[in-house]
Short mmCIF file of all heavy atoms in Angstrom, two decimals:
data_model
loop_
_atom_site.label_atom_id
_atom_site.label_comp_id
_atom_site.label_asym_id
_atom_site.label_seq_id
_atom_site.Cartn_x
_atom_site.Cartn_y
_atom_site.Cartn_z
N ILE A 5 -9.94 -10.44 -14.04
CA ILE A 5 -8.52 -10.86 -14.13
C ILE A 5 -8.32 -11.64 -15.38
O ILE A 5 -8.90 -12.67 -15.59
CB ILE A 5 -8.24 -11.77 -12.88
CG1 ILE A 5 -8.45 -10.92 -11.60
CG2 ILE A 5 -6.78 -12.20 -12.97
CD1 ILE A 5 -8.29 -11.77 -10.34
N ASP A 52 -3.04 -10.51 -16.83
CA ASP A 52 -2.85 -10.33 -15.38
C ASP A 52 -2.30 -11.55 -14.67
O ASP A 52 -1.57 -11.42 -13.73
CB ASP A 52 -4.21 -10.00 -14.72
CG ASP A 52 -4.80 -8.69 -15.20
OD1 ASP A 52 -4.05 -7.72 -15.41
OD2 ASP A 52 -6.05 -8.67 -15.39
N LEU A 53 -2.65 -12.74 -15.14
CA LEU A 53 -2.34 -13.96 -14.49
C LEU A 53 -1.90 -15.02 -15.44
O LEU A 53 -2.58 -15.28 -16.42
CB LEU A 53 -3.54 -14.40 -13.61
CG LEU A 53 -3.44 -15.80 -12.96
CD1 LEU A 53 -2.28 -15.85 -11.99
CD2 LEU A 53 -4.74 -16.03 -12.25
N LEU A 54 -0.84 -15.79 -15.06
CA LEU A 54 -0.36 -16.90 -15.86
C LEU A 54 -0.43 -18.14 -15.05
O LEU A 54 0.16 -18.27 -13.98
CB LEU A 54 1.11 -16.52 -16.27
CG LEU A 54 1.77 -17.31 -17.41
CD1 LEU A 54 1.04 -17.05 -18.72
CD2 LEU A 54 3.20 -16.84 -17.56
N ASN A 74 8.58 -8.06 -17.91
CA ASN A 74 7.58 -7.59 -17.00
C ASN A 74 6.44 -8.69 -16.88
O ASN A 74 5.39 -8.49 -17.49
CB ASN A 74 6.96 -6.26 -17.50
CG ASN A 74 8.00 -5.13 -17.52
OD1 ASN A 74 8.49 -4.79 -16.46
ND2 ASN A 74 8.20 -4.64 -18.68
N PRO A 75 6.79 -9.74 -16.23
CA PRO A 75 5.79 -10.86 -16.17
C PRO A 75 4.55 -10.54 -15.38
O PRO A 75 4.58 -9.72 -14.42
CB PRO A 75 6.61 -11.95 -15.48
CG PRO A 75 7.55 -11.27 -14.58
CD PRO A 75 7.95 -10.08 -15.39
N PRO A 76 3.47 -11.18 -15.73
CA PRO A 76 2.22 -11.04 -14.96
C PRO A 76 2.34 -11.88 -13.67
O PRO A 76 3.38 -12.49 -13.44
CB PRO A 76 1.14 -11.66 -15.89
CG PRO A 76 1.86 -12.62 -16.72
CD PRO A 76 3.26 -12.07 -16.90
N SER A 77 1.36 -11.82 -12.84
CA SER A 77 1.35 -12.69 -11.66
C SER A 77 1.33 -14.17 -12.15
O SER A 77 0.70 -14.46 -13.18
CB SER A 77 0.05 -12.43 -10.87
OG SER A 77 0.05 -11.12 -10.35
N VAL A 78 2.06 -14.99 -11.39
CA VAL A 78 2.21 -16.44 -11.88
C VAL A 78 1.74 -17.37 -10.84
O VAL A 78 2.12 -17.25 -9.59
CB VAL A 78 3.62 -16.69 -12.31
CG1 VAL A 78 3.84 -18.17 -12.58
CG2 VAL A 78 4.07 -15.83 -13.47
N ILE A 79 0.92 -18.32 -11.23
CA ILE A 79 0.64 -19.52 -10.39
C ILE A 79 1.19 -20.71 -11.10
O ILE A 79 0.77 -21.02 -12.22
CB ILE A 79 -0.88 -19.66 -10.17
CG1 ILE A 79 -1.42 -18.47 -9.35
CG2 ILE A 79 -1.17 -21.02 -9.42
CD1 ILE A 79 -2.90 -18.52 -9.20
N LEU A 94 11.19 -16.64 -7.83
CA LEU A 94 10.75 -15.85 -9.01
C LEU A 94 9.53 -15.09 -8.66
O LEU A 94 8.82 -14.56 -9.60
CB LEU A 94 10.61 -16.69 -10.25
CG LEU A 94 11.87 -17.29 -10.83
CD1 LEU A 94 11.56 -18.29 -11.91
CD2 LEU A 94 12.73 -16.16 -11.41
N SER A 95 9.18 -15.02 -7.39
CA SER A 95 8.02 -14.27 -6.93
C SER A 95 6.71 -14.82 -7.36
O SER A 95 5.72 -14.05 -7.68
CB SER A 95 8.11 -12.75 -7.26
OG SER A 95 9.28 -12.21 -6.75
N ALA A 96 6.64 -16.13 -7.52
CA ALA A 96 5.31 -16.81 -7.92
C ALA A 96 4.34 -16.52 -6.76
O ALA A 96 4.68 -16.53 -5.60
CB ALA A 96 5.55 -18.29 -8.06
N ILE A 97 3.08 -16.29 -7.17
CA ILE A 97 2.01 -16.07 -6.16
C ILE A 97 1.65 -17.39 -5.43
O ILE A 97 1.44 -17.42 -4.23
CB ILE A 97 0.78 -15.56 -6.92
CG1 ILE A 97 1.05 -14.24 -7.56
CG2 ILE A 97 -0.36 -15.37 -5.88
CD1 ILE A 97 1.48 -13.12 -6.68
N ASP A 98 1.67 -18.51 -6.20
CA ASP A 98 1.38 -19.80 -5.54
C ASP A 98 1.92 -20.93 -6.43
O ASP A 98 2.38 -20.71 -7.50
CB ASP A 98 -0.14 -19.98 -5.35
CG ASP A 98 -0.54 -20.80 -4.11
OD1 ASP A 98 0.32 -21.63 -3.71
OD2 ASP A 98 -1.62 -20.62 -3.58
N ALA A 112 -5.63 -20.00 -4.45
CA ALA A 112 -4.46 -19.39 -5.19
C ALA A 112 -4.99 -18.12 -5.97
O ALA A 112 -4.27 -17.11 -5.96
CB ALA A 112 -3.95 -20.44 -6.18
N VAL A 113 -6.12 -18.22 -6.61
CA VAL A 113 -6.60 -17.11 -7.36
C VAL A 113 -6.93 -15.92 -6.41
O VAL A 113 -6.71 -14.71 -6.78
CB VAL A 113 -7.89 -17.44 -8.14
CG1 VAL A 113 -8.56 -16.26 -8.80
CG2 VAL A 113 -7.58 -18.49 -9.21
N ASP A 114 -7.42 -16.21 -5.25
CA ASP A 114 -7.71 -15.14 -4.28
C ASP A 114 -6.44 -14.40 -3.87
O ASP A 114 -6.47 -13.20 -3.62
CB ASP A 114 -8.37 -15.72 -3.00
CG ASP A 114 -9.85 -16.06 -3.18
OD1 ASP A 114 -10.43 -15.57 -4.15
OD2 ASP A 114 -10.46 -16.77 -2.35
N LYS A 115 -5.32 -15.09 -3.82
CA LYS A 115 -4.08 -14.40 -3.52
C LYS A 115 -3.74 -13.40 -4.61
O LYS A 115 -3.22 -12.33 -4.37
CB LYS A 115 -2.95 -15.44 -3.37
CG LYS A 115 -2.99 -16.30 -2.12
CD LYS A 115 -1.88 -17.28 -2.15
CE LYS A 115 -1.94 -18.17 -0.95
NZ LYS A 115 -0.81 -19.16 -0.83
N VAL A 116 -4.01 -13.80 -5.87
CA VAL A 116 -3.73 -12.90 -7.04
C VAL A 116 -4.70 -11.70 -6.87
O VAL A 116 -4.19 -10.49 -7.11
CB VAL A 116 -3.91 -13.59 -8.35
CG1 VAL A 116 -3.80 -12.66 -9.48
CG2 VAL A 116 -2.99 -14.80 -8.49
N LYS A 117 -5.90 -11.91 -6.52
CA LYS A 117 -6.85 -10.83 -6.39
C LYS A 117 -6.40 -9.84 -5.36
O LYS A 117 -6.52 -8.59 -5.49
CB LYS A 117 -8.25 -11.39 -6.07
CG LYS A 117 -8.94 -12.13 -7.19
CD LYS A 117 -10.13 -12.92 -6.72
CE LYS A 117 -11.22 -12.13 -6.08
NZ LYS A 117 -12.40 -12.99 -5.73
N GLU A 118 -5.90 -10.34 -4.25
CA GLU A 118 -5.41 -9.43 -3.21
C GLU A 118 -4.24 -8.62 -3.63
O GLU A 118 -4.16 -7.39 -3.43
CB GLU A 118 -5.04 -10.28 -1.95
CG GLU A 118 -6.20 -10.89 -1.27
CD GLU A 118 -5.77 -11.87 -0.14
OE1 GLU A 118 -4.55 -11.98 0.04
OE2 GLU A 118 -6.63 -12.50 0.49
N LYS A 119 -3.34 -9.26 -4.40
CA LYS A 119 -2.16 -8.54 -4.93
C LYS A 119 -2.59 -7.43 -5.92
O LYS A 119 -2.04 -6.32 -5.81
CB LYS A 119 -1.20 -9.51 -5.60
CG LYS A 119 -0.01 -8.83 -6.22
CD LYS A 119 0.76 -9.78 -7.12
CE LYS A 119 1.92 -9.06 -7.86
NZ LYS A 119 2.69 -9.93 -8.71
N LEU A 120 -3.45 -7.75 -6.83
CA LEU A 120 -3.89 -6.81 -7.83
C LEU A 120 -4.63 -5.64 -7.17
O LEU A 120 -4.50 -4.53 -7.62
CB LEU A 120 -4.77 -7.49 -8.85
CG LEU A 120 -4.02 -8.58 -9.76
CD1 LEU A 120 -4.99 -9.17 -10.71
CD2 LEU A 120 -2.84 -7.85 -10.53
N ALA A 121 -5.39 -5.95 -6.11
CA ALA A 121 -6.16 -4.90 -5.45
C ALA A 121 -5.20 -3.89 -4.79
O ALA A 121 -5.41 -2.70 -4.79
CB ALA A 121 -7.10 -5.52 -4.44
N LEU A 122 -4.11 -4.41 -4.26
CA LEU A 122 -3.11 -3.55 -3.59
C LEU A 122 -2.43 -2.68 -4.68
O LEU A 122 -2.18 -1.54 -4.42
CB LEU A 122 -2.06 -4.42 -2.89
CG LEU A 122 -2.45 -5.05 -1.61
CD1 LEU A 122 -1.37 -5.99 -1.09
CD2 LEU A 122 -2.80 -3.98 -0.55
N LEU A 123 -2.13 -3.23 -5.83
CA LEU A 123 -1.45 -2.47 -6.90
C LEU A 123 -2.36 -1.35 -7.46
O LEU A 123 -1.81 -0.36 -7.93
CB LEU A 123 -1.04 -3.44 -8.03
CG LEU A 123 0.00 -4.44 -7.69
CD1 LEU A 123 0.23 -5.38 -8.89
CD2 LEU A 123 1.30 -3.75 -7.32
N LYS A 124 -3.65 -1.57 -7.34
CA LYS A 124 -4.58 -0.54 -7.87
C LYS A 124 -4.88 0.57 -6.88
O LYS A 124 -5.57 1.53 -7.25
CB LYS A 124 -5.91 -1.25 -8.30
CG LYS A 124 -5.72 -2.12 -9.55
CD LYS A 124 -6.99 -2.81 -9.89
CE LYS A 124 -6.83 -3.73 -11.13
NZ LYS A 124 -8.05 -4.48 -11.48
N GLN A 125 -4.44 0.42 -5.69
CA GLN A 125 -4.70 1.45 -4.66
C GLN A 125 -3.83 2.68 -5.03
O GLN A 125 -2.79 2.56 -5.64
CB GLN A 125 -4.31 1.00 -3.22
CG GLN A 125 -5.19 -0.08 -2.70
CD GLN A 125 -4.81 -0.53 -1.30
OE1 GLN A 125 -3.72 -0.15 -0.81
NE2 GLN A 125 -5.59 -1.33 -0.69
N SER A 181 6.64 -14.35 0.69
CA SER A 181 6.32 -13.34 -0.30
C SER A 181 5.18 -12.43 0.17
O SER A 181 5.24 -11.23 -0.12
CB SER A 181 5.88 -14.00 -1.66
OG SER A 181 4.78 -14.84 -1.44
N ASP A 182 4.21 -12.95 0.92
CA ASP A 182 3.10 -12.11 1.45
C ASP A 182 3.69 -11.12 2.46
O ASP A 182 3.29 -9.96 2.53
CB ASP A 182 2.09 -12.95 2.13
CG ASP A 182 1.17 -13.64 1.18
OD1 ASP A 182 1.20 -13.22 -0.02
OD2 ASP A 182 0.51 -14.60 1.57
N ALA A 185 5.54 -8.26 0.79
CA ALA A 185 4.62 -7.30 0.22
C ALA A 185 4.24 -6.22 1.23
O ALA A 185 3.81 -5.07 0.85
CB ALA A 185 3.38 -7.93 -0.29
#
Side-chain angles (χ1 to χ4, degrees):
I5 299 173
D52 297 318
L53 171 60
L54 198 58
N74 296 297
S77 297
V78 175
I79 294 175
L94 291 170
S95 301
I97 300 297
D98 212 334
V113 172
D114 282 345
K115 291 181 181 179
V116 176
K117 289 165 62 177
E118 291 173 1
K119 175 189 174 183
L120 294 177
L122 287 173
L123 292 175
K124 290 177 181 178
Q125 290 180 355
S181 58
D182 285 344

